[in-house]
Amino acid sequence: MQGGNLQKTTSGTTSVAELFSRPEVRVHPLVVFEGDNFTVSCSVSSVVASRIKHSSLRFRLFRKGALLQHGPHYTATAGSAHDGAYVCQAEAKEIARNSTELTVNAKILPSRPIISVEGGVIIGRPFQVRCRINRGTRPITFTLMRGQRSLGSQEVNALSALFNVSAIRERLELAEFSCGAQNDPSRLAHSSPPLTATVIGE
């Protein structure tokens, strides 16, 4: 291995396949978000016991062609600095084999949603509410809430969603509305502040 380049080296006429299987590279957890810890691991599924011992295998992990770790495990905090294609290399008896690439791209949780009225509010008439976020990996599930009650959800490949709302009888009712944004079902949705808007006809 020279200069970080991934190369396969052989010695004599020994068959690579005779010694050990092609290494595999895995990431845990499978889906990572910015700020989460994740681990990249390297392993082989089989070795020829009569030729080498499993314990004699040496592992290296690479990201974008650069050596990261001597050893089968590499742990980091998810984010753009650790995104990219990971490759595992296993070596024994001057035989080196590389895994296929595994690309890690950290997802971004939604920012706190913002709720606003589209086109104004007139007492006694239905109106529209937009929920939006500034950043987050799509698709995003937006949920419109009135108090603790969900008025509906939309999963969209966008940073905003538009909801139709029934008429209200007074301006104070607007404060009952809020929206949530979520792109990971295992985490609580971020909630917006209460809705505020100018009301006509009160």
Side-chain angles (χ1 to χ4, degrees):
M1 175 76 63
Q2 298 291 333
N5 293 324
L6 304 180
Q7 299 177 343
K8 181 188 295 182
T9 60
T10 59
S11 176
T13 59
T14 303
S15 169
V16 172
E18 290 177 359
L19 294 179
F20 55 89
S21 59
R22 187 175 189 177
E24 297 180 14
V25 61
R26 295 184 174 90
V27 62
H28 180 80
L30 292 175
V31 178
V32 295
F33 285 81
E34 282 187 342
D36 290 348
N37 289 331
F38 71 99
T39 299
V40 179
S41 299
C42 183
S43 64
V44 297
S45 60
S46 64
V47 299
V48 178
S50 62
R51 303 291 303 277
I52 62 171
K53 294 181 179 179
H54 200 285
S55 59
S56 68
L57 283 167
R58 296 182 298 277
F59 296 99
R60 300 182 185 91
L61 282 162
F62 299 81
R63 185 178 67 88
K64 296 181 179 179
L67 178 64
L68 287 175
Q69 178 80 36
H70 286 277
H73 306 291
Y74 175 75
T75 299
T77 300
S80 58
H82 296 107
D83 285 351
Y86 287 79
V87 172
C88 157
Q89 184 182 83
E91 182 179 1
K93 291 190 174 183
E94 299 184 7
I95 302 293
R97 299 193 74 185
N98 299 327
S99 70
T100 57
E101 291 185 346
L102 174 65
T103 300
V104 174
N105 286 315
K107 293 188 175 184
I108 303 170
L109 289 169
S111 56
R112 190 179 189 189
I114 300 165
I115 186 170
S116 60
V117 167
E118 291 277 306
V121 179
I122 300 175
I123 292 296
R125 294 186 184 179
F127 59 99
Q128 292 185 312
V129 166
R130 183 171 296 279
C131 296
R132 64 181 174 88
I133 57 174
N134 292 323
R135 67 193 299 262
T137 300
R138 295 169 281 186
I140 307 293
T141 298
F142 290 97
T143 302
L144 181 64
M145 304 292 295
R146 184 167 187 173
Q148 300 299 314
R149 181 167 58 95
S150 170
L151 299 181
S153 295
Q154 296 181 34
E155 183 181 82
V156 296
N157 192 32
L159 298 182
S160 70
L162 191 64
F163 293 88
N164 295 315
V165 181
S166 300
I168 59 172
R169 292 173 293 180
E170 57 181 352
R171 179 176 55 85
L172 293 177
E173 292 181 49
L174 288 181
E176 300 174 9
F177 294 92
S178 64
C179 64
Q182 189 177 40
N183 61 1
D184 179 6
S186 69
R187 306 177 196 236
L188 293 175
H190 288 292
S191 295
S192 73
L195 176 63
T196 60
T198 300
V199 176
I200 300 172
E202 187 175 25

